[in-house]
Amino acid sequence: QGMEPLHQDSDRSTDHVLLPLIAPYISGKHLALLAGVCKGWRNFLNDSAQSGSIWQAAYNRDIRPYEGYYATVLPEGRRNDARLKYLWYLRRNLLIEPSWKKVVDIGGEQVLGRFGTSSASFMYKGQSAALMFSGWTTEDFVQSDLYMMVRQSETKNNKTTHGLKWLSIHPAGMPPLPAFATSITPFEHPGLGTVFLLFGGVGCFGMPKPCNQFNLLLLDQNNDNDSSEDGPMMEWVHPNLTSAFQEKGTPRAFHSATYFPNKKTGAPRVLMFGGLSDGVPLNTLESVELKLAASSSSNPGDYPHTWHWKQVSTLGTPPIPRYGHSATLCGLDKTKLVIIGGCHCHNLHDYNSVGRELQDVHILDLSKSIPTWSELDMRGFIPMYSLGRLHNAVQVGPQILCFGGGPTSKLTNDVVAVNIYDQTWKQIEMEGQEPCPRQESFMAPIEAGSEMVMFGGRNKKTLGDCYILRLGGFKTREYAFSGCNLKPGYDEAEDQRREERRMKMERERKEREKKEKLRIEKEKEREMREKELREKEQLKLKLKEKLKSKTNKKKKGGAKLGEELLAAVLPGAAATSSANLDEDPEAAYRRMMNSILIRSVMGQYQNGSAHSGGGCSCSKCQQPNMPEMIKALDAEEEEEKPLHLGVKSYGRYPSLSRRIYEAIRQG
């Protein structure tokens, strides 16, 4: 600003002087952006002879201190190129252009859709591979099969395409019993190569319940079977129980299993945390240490295998009991076990729908002599039900990407990045065709961590689709460093659309917060109304009880007096009616009064007092029509005031009271 622009000729002549002077003061991220918008910078940065030292300095400054955060190893083709090496790490650190892509055709074996699988990522002959064991399939049963997913390349018409391929594995030895929601943990042993530890799960042999079955799966990297579609040679091995420990650990399912060797002895060790055991969530930490001795036999299944199981003592406040969480080993020295989310529930049969979702992050520091728990106070916004039960988690550089999860009625397909180093989490805006919300899916990193493959899961039904989550995007033109290529690609319209999407997400987030606040307020108002209604009902019941007690006293008093009147008029009738007084005092009272009235009037009528002359021999006098007499008496108007007989007032039956009194007075 404030300077005259150089002429075009002088601009070209000064690039080789100015750019090397400016470049050391610019971060690698902005160098890549400059290459996308300026031809002079692009020519300079693509010339490895001029810019090699610049990229190496940026790598030493920005990436090298954090190399330990990355769980994967840099591909061999990029280790010697400082520019490609820097950009490869950069796009994982910044999560540049994460995109979804649906895989339409997967080569190799046809795999049934399933959920509740156990997966493990490992390196097979220098390439990324993922192992998938068991799961509840679309045919509504648990299938204890084993598959391996690898990359495949095909060349047609001098054009090479890359895809995914399923290999069916048929290990030797006795396979495990049918179970799903197990854990399978890979680790490298100097004498045995790659070893997979399988533990727990919901056993489907008999009544479904968590089990503690324990198996080893041995992989021979040297003696493979590449010519077959059955994949490499493997073998199931059942380890022996040592005499010192008589238990195999707590039966559990939907737990986490993390490989962390014993620092003192160097023995392979796997840490088990959480899970669901007989309908009870767990927060205990147990370890199993393996002793795999070498043997002179060429068959790996002949090796003796023993193991020790024990509960690990910890300090600090452990996480609340949970299952369906994720556990990731992070840190420069890989000593921080990060526990994220999950669910707190006490129901095995409805494990995927009932209970309370958890959105928290806990760290177990394994570098201390006694492992210590601590909870992180995370900053940022994430959607509801994300990080809930049965989500997937993959470490990408210093961050952990979590996908899906939640209860059946509130499943999500959000991707959340959890950064434990600055204690922040955020929702990632994804490009491409997103998968539907789901839980219990298979997810594993491939291509040295630049891509994650997701398969199956459950969303009201068992799913069998496959997606790839790629960092760097599938459209290389959108960013200069997409696919580790420095190409011009800045698009102002695309940048504006991206900003509009970001603003839309922010508006939706605020709208969700507003709705949630209104929902909470309405819930509080509803609870207050229900409380008031309950108090009113209780008050009504109390008043009703008091009124009922007073009425019963009054009725009992009236019934007693009615009995006295009946005994006075008809001594023989009191004994026959007294048995009913306690059952229904009011009915007994009315029955006595009617009996007294009818008998009195009937007596007068038969004696001729009902006729003026008396001594009439008509049919009415001989057989009086009693219902008509009662109807005539009840139809008379009650003009007189209620009579008081003794201390009780029979105002409720004034006509009866008056006639009873007259009947008694007339003898």
Side-chain angles (χ1 to χ4, degrees):
Q1 291 183 354
M3 297 179 62
E4 292 293 332
L6 295 172
H7 294 290
Q8 186 174 6
D9 295 337
S10 60
D11 185 18
R12 293 178 180 176
S13 61
T14 55
D15 277 351
H16 70 284
V17 178
L18 293 178
L19 299 188
L21 296 176
I22 299 173
Y25 298 95
I26 301 176
S27 67
K29 172 185 174 181
H30 294 98
L31 285 175
L33 290 174
L34 285 171
V37 298
C38 176
K39 184 177 180 180
W41 277 104
R42 182 166 63 257
N43 294 334
F44 168 70
L45 294 175
N46 281 334
D47 187 354
S48 58
Q50 297 185 63
S51 62
S53 59
I54 302 298
W55 286 110
Q56 188 62 45
Y59 182 85
N60 295 336
R61 179 182 68 244
D62 300 336
I63 302 297
R64 189 174 295 279
Y66 309 102
E67 277 184 334
Y69 291 158
Y70 296 87
T72 55
V73 183
L74 186 71
E76 295 181 1
R78 295 168 182 162
R79 295 178 184 176
N80 299 326
D81 192 320
R83 176 177 64 90
L84 296 180
K85 182 168 63 173
Y86 179 85
L87 295 176
W88 187 86
Y89 280 106
L90 179 67
R91 69 179 185 178
R92 285 154 185 76
N93 187 22
L94 300 179
L95 303 177
I96 301 300
E97 282 297 309
S99 303
W100 285 109
K101 184 178 181 180
K102 186 172 183 179
V103 181
V104 180
D105 185 20
I106 303 180
E109 293 286 334
Q110 295 295 321
V111 179
L112 293 174
R114 62 190 65 202
F115 64 88
T117 64
S118 52
S119 61
S121 299
F122 64 104
M123 297 298 294
Y124 177 67
K125 290 199 168 185
Q127 294 184 353
S128 298
L131 201 67
M132 182 177 70
F133 172 74
S134 188
W136 196 285
T137 66
T138 51
E139 296 183 355
D140 202 23
F141 70 93
V142 175
Q143 189 164 338
S144 296
D145 47 8
L146 190 67
Y147 292 95
M148 187 170 75
M149 177 176 282
V150 295
R151 278 284 193 181
Q152 69 171 356
S153 300
E154 294 182 0
T155 303
K156 292 182 180 179
N157 300 327
N158 296 328
K159 184 178 180 180
T160 303
T161 58
H162 302 278
L164 298 175
K165 182 179 181 180
W166 284 114
L167 298 178
S168 178
I169 312 295
H170 301 281
M174 181 66 70
L177 296 173
F180 70 99
T182 63
S183 64
I184 184 167
T185 310
F187 59 92
E188 294 295 325
H189 187 271
L192 300 175
T194 304
V195 179
F196 299 89
L197 186 149
L198 181 74
F199 179 77
V202 179
C204 296
F205 34 92
M207 181 67 69
K209 63 179 181 178
C211 63
N212 58 355
Q213 67 170 337
F214 181 84
N215 298 274
L216 294 178
L217 180 63
L218 306 182
L219 168 65
D220 190 353
Q221 296 263 14
N222 299 321
N223 187 13
D224 62 321
N225 192 12
D226 288 337
S227 60
S228 172
E229 292 294 327
D230 293 339
M233 295 182 62
M234 294 185 177
E235 181 165 359
W236 288 111
V237 175
H238 296 271
N240 299 320
L241 179 66
T242 60
S243 59
F245 299 94
Q246 298 299 326
E247 295 184 1
K248 296 182 180 180
T250 305
R252 61 183 76 199
F254 307 104
H255 57 281
S256 62
T258 309
Y259 174 69
F260 184 75
N262 191 316
K263 294 185 294 183
K264 296 180 180 180
T265 63
R269 179 175 64 173
V270 176
L271 301 177
M272 309 286 181
F273 174 77
L276 198 60
S277 178
D278 292 331
V280 179
L282 304 174
N283 65 344
T284 56
L285 182 69
E286 298 176 351
S287 69
V288 54
E289 292 189 11
L290 303 176
K291 290 186 176 181
L292 309 178
S295 173
S296 60
S297 173
S298 59
N299 185 5
D302 294 338
Y303 295 146
H305 305 282
T306 57
W307 54 278
H308 297 270
W309 194 282
K310 66 178 181 180
Q311 187 166 349
V312 181
S313 301
T314 60
L315 297 177
T317 304
I320 66 172
R322 65 189 62 207
Y323 70 91
H325 56 280
S326 62
T328 310
L329 200 61
C330 299
L332 292 173
D333 52 355
K334 300 297 180 185
T335 59
K336 305 296 187 294
L337 182 62
V338 183
I339 305 296
I340 299 178
C343 175
H344 181 78
C345 173
H346 291 75
N347 193 330
L348 174 63
H349 299 288
D350 296 326
Y351 70 90
N352 60 342
S353 57
V354 301
R356 176 165 63 95
E357 305 303 307
L358 302 175
Q359 284 188 331
D360 53 2
V361 179
H362 296 262
I363 291 182
L364 180 64
D365 191 351
L366 299 172
S367 62
K368 299 182 179 180
S369 57
I370 301 179
T372 305
W373 286 107
S374 62
E375 183 176 2
L376 297 185
D377 185 13
M378 305 300 292
R379 296 176 287 108
F381 170 79
I382 56 175
M384 291 181 63
Y385 303 108
S386 59
L387 309 183
R389 75 189 77 192
L390 307 171
H391 67 270
N392 298 108
V394 177
Q395 184 181 5
V396 180
Q399 305 180 88
I400 301 173
L401 289 187
C402 301
F403 165 76
T408 331
S409 58
K410 300 290 183 181
L411 291 176
T412 68
N413 62 346
D414 301 313
V415 178
V416 174
V418 179
N419 193 321
I420 64 171
Y421 304 102
D422 57 9
Q423 298 188 22
T424 59
W425 53 21
K426 62 179 179 180
Q427 181 182 2
I428 303 300
E429 181 184 358
M430 301 298 297
E431 302 287 340
Q433 182 181 359
E434 295 184 345
C436 64
R438 64 189 67 200
Q439 61 179 199
E440 295 188 79
S441 57
F442 161 90
M443 194 169 188
I446 55 176
E447 281 297 294
S450 61
E451 295 179 357
M452 276 69 72
V453 60
M454 189 272 295
F455 173 78
R458 173 162 62 174
N459 181 1
K460 297 182 179 179
K461 64 178 182 179
T462 306
L463 303 173
D465 49 359
C466 183
Y467 289 82
I468 288 181
L469 190 159
R470 181 179 181 183
L471 300 174
F474 291 94
K475 299 179 181 179
T476 56
R477 66 175 185 82
E478 293 183 355
Y479 267 93
F481 35 88
S482 294
C484 295
N485 294 320
L486 290 178
K487 296 180 180 180
Y490 179 74
D491 187 348
E492 185 176 359
E494 180 64 25
D495 190 54
Q496 185 177 359
R497 287 193 295 270
R498 190 176 295 108
E499 180 65 19
E500 290 176 355
R501 288 196 298 269
R502 188 192 66 79
M503 294 178 66
K504 181 181 178 181
M505 288 182 62
E506 185 67 18
R507 288 194 301 268
E508 291 176 353
R509 182 185 67 82
K510 291 181 179 180
E511 188 66 24
R512 286 195 300 268
E513 290 179 350
K514 185 178 179 181
K515 289 182 179 179
E516 181 64 17
K517 187 176 179 181
L518 291 175
R519 187 188 66 80
I520 293 174
E521 291 178 355
K522 289 181 179 179
E523 186 69 19
K524 289 181 178 179
E525 291 178 359
R526 186 181 63 81
E527 291 178 357
M528 290 295 295
R529 288 196 300 269
E530 290 180 353
K531 185 178 178 181
E532 291 178 358
L533 289 174
R534 286 195 300 268
E535 291 176 353
K536 288 181 179 180
E537 289 295 330
Q538 292 175 359
L539 183 59
K540 286 181 179 180
L541 288 175
K542 289 181 180 179
L543 293 175
K544 190 174 181 180
E545 289 177 358
K546 289 182 180 180
L547 183 61
K548 185 177 180 180
S549 63
K550 291 182 179 180
T551 305
N552 290 338
K553 290 180 180 179
K554 183 176 179 181
K555 289 178 180 178
K556 288 181 179 179
K560 185 177 180 181
L561 184 57
E563 185 179 5
E564 294 174 356
L565 289 172
L566 184 62
V569 179
L570 300 171
T576 60
S577 302
S578 60
N580 298 325
L581 292 178
D582 294 334
E583 297 178 3
D584 192 350
E586 183 176 357
Y589 170 78
R590 292 180 62 87
R591 186 169 57 253
M592 292 175 189
M593 297 301 104
N594 289 333
S595 178
I596 293 171
L597 175 63
I598 293 168
R599 295 188 185 200
S600 300
V601 175
M602 186 175 66
Q604 295 177 13
Y605 189 79
Q606 289 177 348
N607 293 330
S609 59
H611 288 238
S612 59
C616 180
S617 60
C618 67
S619 59
K620 289 184 178 181
C621 293
Q622 300 300 325
Q623 296 179 357
N625 190 346
M626 298 306 300
E628 292 183 1
M629 290 178 59
I630 295 172
K631 187 184 297 185
L633 289 173
D634 291 339
E636 292 183 8
E637 295 182 358
E638 303 171 1
E639 297 178 353
E640 300 180 10
K641 293 182 179 180
L643 298 177
H644 293 269
L645 301 180
V647 295
K648 292 292 181 178
S649 173
Y650 293 88
R652 190 172 184 181
Y653 309 107
S655 179
L656 289 176
S657 301
R658 176 165 50 82
R659 282 161 178 75
I660 290 170
Y661 180 76
E662 291 177 355
I664 295 173
R665 181 174 56 82
Q666 295 177 7

